[in-house]
Amino acid sequence: MADHHLDAVSAASLSGLTKRFPGFQLGPLDLVLEPGTVLALVGPNGAGKTTTLNCMAGLVVPDEGGTEVFGEPVHATRTEYRRNIGYVGEENGFFQGWTAARNLKFLADLLPGWSNDRAKRFVERFALPLDKPVNKLSRGNKTKLALVAAMAHGPRLLLLDEPTAGLDPVVRSEVLDVLWEITEDGEHAVLYSTHVLSDINRLADELAFLRDGRLVLRSGRDELSESWRQVSFRLANEDAELTGVVEHRRVRAEHQVITREAEATLQQLADLGAESIEVSRMTVDEIAVQILKEGHHVARAES
Amino acid sequence: MWHALRAELAYFRPYLLGGLGIASGVILLLSVLMRFSNDADGPPGFVVAIFPIIAGMVVSFICGSLRVEERRARLLLSGALTPRQLAWLTVLLPACFVGLSVLAVPPMIGVAALVAGKLEPASWPIAGSFALQFWAYAQLGPLGQESCAARRQNRGRAGLIGWAVFAGVILVLVACQLILRSTQGHLLQVMAVITAMGVAAMLYQGRTDFTR
């Protein structure tokens, strides 16, 4: 019965989350993240990704709405929810003059649920040098330390703000592997923000696109891959309005379109008598670029 | 909270020892100069007493700015600390640094007396008054920081209260130096400092952003 209850609880749920700054408003955001899911929060600089993660971690108090993590309300004055959260930001508050080992020792006494064995496993996996002061560590090693610190107390939700930014390909691959393994058991969830669109293909099974503080689109990676296509064709009728098309290039009768509703567009092209139809799949990062460009157009039109 | 306080004190120990080392150097130099200038009275005892306290105050300022720069609140709020505990940790640190530096006063007076040969007897009310002043300045650091943070986070009323208390404490300190150099004056200064600590802690708890 207890297990059933645990299964029913979402890893994180945001309801009407709103935070206002001079000249910028995040939200209202509504988002649910199920256990076992890796959700990539994608958006350009200033879209509100970091603020969203900070609100979820309880570091920023929202003006309206709120967040629950595994059923526990997130509020700065409460501590219960924190045992379920591991957070990696750009700056993680470490004692810069202390070694990585001393920082981890301090955290071991600070964080309930900390496991030295788990910490040791991650340290070995990442080949993290423990004897150097944090301010002498490379950016990659600082990220590794932050990941070890975030995961050693066994949280069920990882909030990662640009975890792979500035990492070399080998380290990035290792970090993505570890994150993937963590979610394999179906009990853990990861929400991470990223600019590195190639990471999406590797890790995320869901994507949420943020633009100017608003959620533009939330979709599964496979659904996106199935519905978006690049189509080239010949069509004499130049005025034809095609369903789902987000980008249309035309040289006389030669057309090239990007559609987010491939099935409907292809059906329409068949009805219009288009010839030489060639359909090609798009990678998820190509689709992400299109969605963000489209969101940009929407925002510009509204402003 | 005590675990975090001990860690912060351990982290800033080299800064405090460095500050006290510089203060010792200045006192030694002063004592040597006094000895060779045939000054019959030696260096004033209260001057010797305030150097280490100034060192404690300066270290508390360094600690305040480094903790913000290193975003310590982020780390501490990932654990079991509440904002209230974090607030008291922030306002207790300056008191700890000034308190620890007061412990260094007797040995420094002893060394100065040995080197100079003789020490002008310390006027303890004056020395106490200066010590309280420097403790108050140290505690004004977190109050100023939290008043700025409140304004930045659109908590205008809280920011105004912070700055009003800040100005009030300064006025009390000035008045006590000019008029009330007595036990009552000292008590008034202590009350002003405790008020500054309490208001800084309240402002910290009311933060809407703990990322710095």
Side-chain angles (χ1 to χ4, degrees):
Chain A
M1 191 67 190
D3 287 342
H4 175 75
H5 172 72
L6 274 177
D7 288 343
V9 174
S10 56
S13 70
L14 281 66
S15 51
L17 185 83
T18 308
K19 181 71 187 174
R20 296 183 194 89
F21 298 100
F24 176 76
Q25 177 176 321
L26 172 72
L29 284 185
D30 293 286
L31 200 68
V32 175
L33 181 63
E34 297 300 337
T37 312
V38 180
L39 175 68
L41 205 53
V42 186
N45 287 329
K49 304 186 294 292
T50 299
T51 306
T52 305
L53 292 173
N54 282 337
C55 287
M56 292 179 74
L59 292 171
V60 169
V61 181
D63 295 323
E64 286 162 33
T67 308
E68 282 189 1
V69 171
F70 285 99
E72 299 278 2
V74 172
H75 194 276
T77 56
R78 301 176 68 112
T79 56
E80 295 85 355
Y81 71 91
R82 292 194 207 144
R83 66 172 188 266
N84 280 320
I85 290 183
Y87 182 50
V88 176
E90 199 181 334
E91 301 279 348
N92 295 288
F94 293 118
F95 292 88
Q96 296 287 320
W98 277 358
T99 60
R102 193 159 183 194
N103 273 285
L104 292 178
K105 190 172 179 296
F106 167 71
L107 285 171
D109 295 330
L110 185 77
L111 300 177
W114 182 278
S115 154
N116 280 329
D117 288 342
R118 206 180 293 129
K120 195 176 164 200
R121 222 170 38 241
F122 286 124
V123 164
E124 283 169 0
R125 179 84 192 264
F126 288 135
L128 174 67
L130 288 175
D131 53 346
K132 274 189 179 177
V134 174
N135 56 14
K136 297 278 190 292
L137 291 177
S138 65
R139 180 160 184 182
N141 282 332
K142 279 182 187 168
T143 304
K144 289 176 186 175
L145 173 62
L147 281 165
V148 173
M151 296 190 293
H153 67 288
R156 289 190 287 166
L157 172 65
L158 281 177
L159 302 174
L160 312 173
D161 190 9
E162 308 269 359
T164 55
L167 299 185
D168 66 58
V170 177
V171 176
R172 200 170 87 215
S173 175
E174 187 69 13
V175 167
L176 294 176
D177 281 348
V178 170
L179 295 177
W180 180 248
E181 287 164 22
I182 282 174
T183 54
E184 266 186 331
D185 62 4
E187 288 178 9
H188 294 75
V190 177
L191 175 57
Y192 76 102
S193 73
T194 185
H195 278 124
V196 188
L197 295 176
S198 56
D199 287 357
I200 299 171
N201 260 332
R202 178 91 181 271
L203 187 63
D205 31 42
E206 288 193 38
L207 295 97
F209 293 89
L210 268 186
R211 174 103 220 168
D212 297 325
R214 288 182 312 169
L215 195 61
V216 178
L217 179 72
R218 158 93 187 258
S219 177
R221 186 185 61 181
D222 296 339
E223 290 162 39
L224 277 182
S225 297
E226 285 310 311
S227 58
W228 285 68
R229 288 288 184 277
Q230 194 166 354
V231 186
S232 58
F233 54 91
R234 287 177 62 84
L235 184 66
N237 179 2
E238 290 189 0
D239 300 327
E241 285 285 326
L242 296 172
T243 310
V245 167
V246 296
E247 191 177 293
H248 194 154
R249 292 196 190 123
R250 178 170 52 204
V251 182
R252 285 188 288 276
E254 300 284 342
H255 296 255
Q256 193 172 60
V257 298
I258 290 174
T259 175
R260 61 183 170 195
E261 293 173 41
E263 213 169 296
T265 308
L266 290 172
Q267 181 61 52
Q268 209 179 354
L269 286 175
D271 294 345
L272 288 166
E275 296 169 349
S276 312
I277 299 173
E278 283 179 27
V279 183
S280 50
R281 295 184 79 94
M282 296 173 71
T283 61
V284 175
D285 41 317
E286 285 170 339
I287 297 168
V289 170
Q290 283 300 328
I291 290 169
L292 292 174
K293 272 162 72 177
E294 194 187 5
H296 180 55
H297 295 151
V298 171
R300 275 209 311 198
E302 284 183 358
S303 66
Chain B
M1 184 183 101
W2 303 114
H3 170 59
L5 182 67
R6 276 198 306 274
E8 295 281 6
L9 290 175
Y11 185 64
F12 287 102
R13 190 191 303 135
Y15 295 84
L16 185 63
L17 292 177
L20 292 176
I22 292 170
S24 314
V26 173
I27 290 167
L28 274 176
L29 189 67
L30 193 69
S31 306
V32 169
L33 286 175
M34 288 286 197
R35 186 179 186 109
F36 288 102
S37 66
N38 294 322
D39 189 316
D41 292 332
F46 86 90
V47 172
V48 174
I50 62 173
F51 273 111
I53 298 168
I54 291 174
M57 178 191 72
V58 172
V59 170
S60 80
F61 292 149
I62 293 171
C63 162
S65 64
L66 263 185
R67 290 181 78 240
V68 172
E69 194 183 311
E70 294 184 359
R71 308 279 200 270
R72 190 80 75 250
R74 298 182 86 116
L75 184 75
L76 299 178
L77 279 180
S78 65
L81 283 187
T82 62
R84 174 179 292 187
Q85 289 170 320
L86 200 50
W88 282 106
L89 169 68
T90 305
V91 298
L92 279 177
L93 276 169
C96 289
F97 289 125
V98 174
L100 288 170
S101 64
V102 167
L103 295 179
V105 169
M108 284 201 192
I109 285 183
V111 169
L114 274 176
V115 173
K118 192 182 175 192
L119 207 62
E120 183 186 292
S123 166
W124 293 112
I126 295 177
S129 180
F130 273 107
L132 280 172
Q133 290 258 328
F134 292 124
W135 178 30
Y137 296 141
Q139 294 301 155
L140 285 175
L143 180 59
Q145 268 179 355
E146 288 316 307
S147 304
C148 288
R151 299 275 292 181
R152 208 171 41 237
Q153 293 167 14
N154 297 325
R155 293 153 49 220
R157 188 179 291 178
L160 279 177
I161 291 171
W163 285 121
V165 173
F166 191 98
V169 172
I170 296 271
L171 284 175
V172 168
L173 296 180
V174 171
C176 289
Q177 280 299 304
L178 295 177
I179 312 161
L180 281 170
R181 286 186 175 183
S182 59
T183 310
Q184 288 93 329
H186 289 171
L187 278 175
L188 196 60
Q189 285 188 66
V190 170
M191 282 166 63
V193 174
I194 290 171
T195 306
M197 290 171 77
V199 172
M202 272 169 50
L203 292 178
Y204 196 104
Q205 284 176 64
R207 276 183 173 210
T208 55
D209 185 341
F210 293 93
T211 54
R212 290 178 186 211

